[in-house]
Amino acid sequence: GQQVQQSPASLVLQEGENAELQCNFSTSLNSMQWFYQRPGGSLVSLFYNPSGTKHSGRLTSTTVIKERRSSLHISSSQTTDSGTYLCALERNAGAKLTFGGGTRLTVRP
Amino acid sequence: DMKVTQMPRYLIKRMGENVLLECGQDMSHETMYWYRQDPGLGLQLIYISYDVDSNSEGDIPKGYRVSRKKREHFSLILDSAKTNQTSVYFCASSPRDRGGQDTQYFGPGTRLLVL
């Protein structure tokens, strides 16, 4: 089965609403990374979060290792937040990432 | 400004032709990666390089080989390309601190179409 599962697969919001994206994993974890990808674009790292909670502007990432989950919270969404959000699991210190399938977010004005 | 570059950005090849995708980084990162991204399959790791001439297979290495002769350059080679290698290819690099933890920086991607 898939080692990293993201939910929801897609999400549509009105501007100003909040979003909660989930990432669940079934293997041991060295760390979790969250990326943002514009349609047809490259990936931009949002968070490198092995455990606990990290904040960056309107974004918050929380990783709970014993529950094998990580979440990305987007507050007061903006149309420019539209795109795909990917979580990636670093299985061990060998630096290899396993990516989830992504959540495609659309924020409407 | 930290940067990962990829050349070419777009490429069309015929089945059986050889393909060379190039990646460069200006951050002196030790570790570099090649991924491909396909609809429904997400990003998959093809190869990882821990330094010059220190390469390791990823999850889907079949049909690919890599070359890293300088720390700042990492090449992906397709000998006799196949139509199922049509994809978007991403290169990434990362520093390696003592704890082995790092973040990855991605290039803009190369769109390869094999006819």
Side-chain angles (χ1 to χ4, degrees), chain B:
Chain B
D1 193 23
M2 296 183 287
K3 199 171 182 180
V4 178
T5 58
Q6 290 186 237
M7 290 292 287
R9 296 292 314 280
Y10 304 90
L11 187 60
I12 300 174
K13 287 284 192 178
R14 295 198 178 278
M15 192 169 60
E17 292 184 328
N18 298 331
V19 177
L20 173 65
L21 305 185
E22 306 214 65
C23 175
Q25 50 100 359
D26 60 2
M27 300 167 276
S28 297
H29 287 170
E30 292 181 9
T31 310
M32 296 185 74
Y33 314 77
W34 276 106
Y35 296 89
R36 61 178 284 177
Q37 187 176 34
D38 303 284
L41 294 177
L43 269 153
Q44 297 173 279
L45 178 65
I46 305 171
Y47 266 95
I48 182 172
S49 174
Y50 295 104
D51 211 330
V52 171
D53 285 330
S54 179
N55 307 317
S56 178
E57 293 181 347
D59 297 320
I60 52 163
K62 188 177 179 182
Y64 303 94
R65 62 183 174 94
V66 292
S67 174
R68 188 150 180 224
K69 297 301 181 185
K70 293 183 179 180
R71 179 172 280 190
E72 61 269 24
H73 291 131
F74 190 33
S75 301
L76 180 69
I77 302 128
L78 289 66
D79 295 313
S80 188
K82 299 173 181 55
T83 56
N84 62 9
Q85 291 179 307
T86 291
S87 187
V88 181
Y89 291 86
F90 286 100
C91 174
S93 74
S94 67
R96 297 284 292 170
D97 66 21
R98 290 179 184 176
Q101 296 184 341
D102 52 45
T103 189
Q104 293 191 17
Y105 299 87
F106 279 75
T110 295
R111 292 183 177 273
L112 172 65
L113 173 62
V114 182
L115 301 173

Side-chain angles (χ1 to χ4, degrees), chain A residues 4 9-12 22 27 29 35 42 46 48 58 69 74-76 79 81 89-90 94 99 105-106:
Chain A
V4 183
S10 63
L11 182 62
V12 179
Q22 297 290 340
T27 66
L29 170 78
F35 292 90
S42 186
L46 298 175
Y48 182 86
R58 295 181 293 106
R69 64 174 177 86
I74 305 172
S75 63
S76 303
T79 56
D81 294 332
L89 169 74
E90 185 178 13
F99 282 82
L105 175 66
T106 303

Side-chain angles (χ1 to χ4, degrees), chain A residues 11-20 58 73-82 105-109:
Chain A
L11 182 62
V12 179
L13 299 175
Q14 289 298 130
E15 197 168 27
E17 291 181 329
N18 299 332
E20 185 87 7
R58 295 181 293 106
H73 182 84
I74 305 172
S75 63
S76 303
S77 62
Q78 301 175 359
T79 56
T80 52
D81 294 332
S82 296
L105 175 66
T106 303
V107 182
R108 293 184 173 154

